[in-house]
Amino acid sequence: MLNHIAPVPLEKAYRLLNHGPSVLVSARHGGVDNVMAAAWACALDFAPPKLTVVLDKATSTRALVEGSGSFVIQVPTAAQLQLTHAVGTRSLADEPDKLARAGVELFGREGHDLPFVAGCSAWLACRLIPEPHNQNTYDLFIGEVVAAWADTRVFSDGHWHFEKADPSLRSLHYIAGGQFYAIGESLTV
């Protein structure tokens, strides 16, 4: 299952988010794992690579991120449409079996005590850069990307290749009310 996952050099990690996909945020703290969907994630800086993500105060994942100081940003695929919607609309506080009910399969990466979601096209392991004012006022979290990986069937040589990959590997882009789009065709100037 993991033989098509390759490391991405940190100087190219921003490219994993630069196309504006919906993401899955996962975290682990105190023996609890959770995954949530987020539409507002953005590359922030190159060296060291940083990103931002909005995590509402009401989410269980936010408490895990604040408790552990680390998290993973993943790029889900079109094949994970139902899973992405399910983890974005269900709460671990209300459904302790949320991940199982949504069909989430987790795996680990050596050197990282984090839950990674299987089936995604990219994974960015992040260390939380604490900014209490931004977190409390705007729900805005900053992470330093400490490691990154991508599915070589759709990302290689520092670039996405959606047009050559199976359509089920395309990234999801959330609009509202349960409506997503999959990334479209490549246009080059």
Side-chain angles (χ1 to χ4, degrees):
M1 174 183 88
L2 303 179
N3 59 350
H4 57 267
I5 297 174
V8 173
L10 288 180
E11 66 271 9
K12 303 285 187 205
Y14 74 94
R15 292 182 178 179
L16 298 175
L17 291 180
N18 219 29
H19 65 297
S22 298
V23 299
L24 299 178
V25 183
S26 60
R28 169 180 293 148
H29 183 65
V32 176
D33 292 340
N34 199 26
V35 180
M36 65 174 276
W40 296 345
C42 179
L44 177 65
D45 203 353
F46 299 107
K50 296 180 198 74
L51 56 80
T52 61
V53 63
V54 174
L55 304 174
D56 189 88
K57 291 170 185 62
T59 65
S60 298
T61 303
R62 176 181 173 145
L64 299 176
V65 169
E66 290 176 323
S68 69
S70 60
F71 58 97
V72 183
I73 296 290
Q74 283 97 174
V75 178
T77 66
Q80 295 174 301
L81 175 64
Q82 295 298 327
L83 179 151
T84 301
H85 187 259
V87 299
T89 56
R90 296 177 179 163
S91 172
L92 186 67
D94 298 330
E95 297 180 33
D97 62 345
K98 164 188 162 178
L99 299 184
R101 291 177 70 182
V104 175
E105 180 184 343
L106 300 174
F107 69 96
R109 299 295 297 180
E110 189 173 330
H112 301 277
D113 184 23
L114 291 163
F116 293 82
V117 179
C120 292
S121 60
W123 302 262
L124 298 100
C126 299
R127 177 186 64 80
L128 177 63
I129 298 173
E131 291 287 346
H133 173 73
N134 288 341
Q135 291 166 207
N136 294 328
T137 305
Y138 306 110
D139 297 330
L140 183 68
F141 285 70
I142 300 172
E144 178 183 342
V145 180
V146 297
W149 302 266
D151 185 326
T152 57
R153 298 173 297 173
V154 71
F155 186 93
S156 60
D157 301 321
H159 296 281
W160 288 105
H161 303 287
F162 293 112
E163 70 281 4
K164 297 175 187 173
D166 186 295
S168 68
L169 294 171
R170 291 182 177 206
S171 59
L172 295 170
H173 302 261
Y174 187 66
I175 304 304
Q179 181 184 12
F180 292 79
Y181 283 94
I183 197 163
E185 65 180 290
S186 172
L187 305 172
T188 306
V189 289

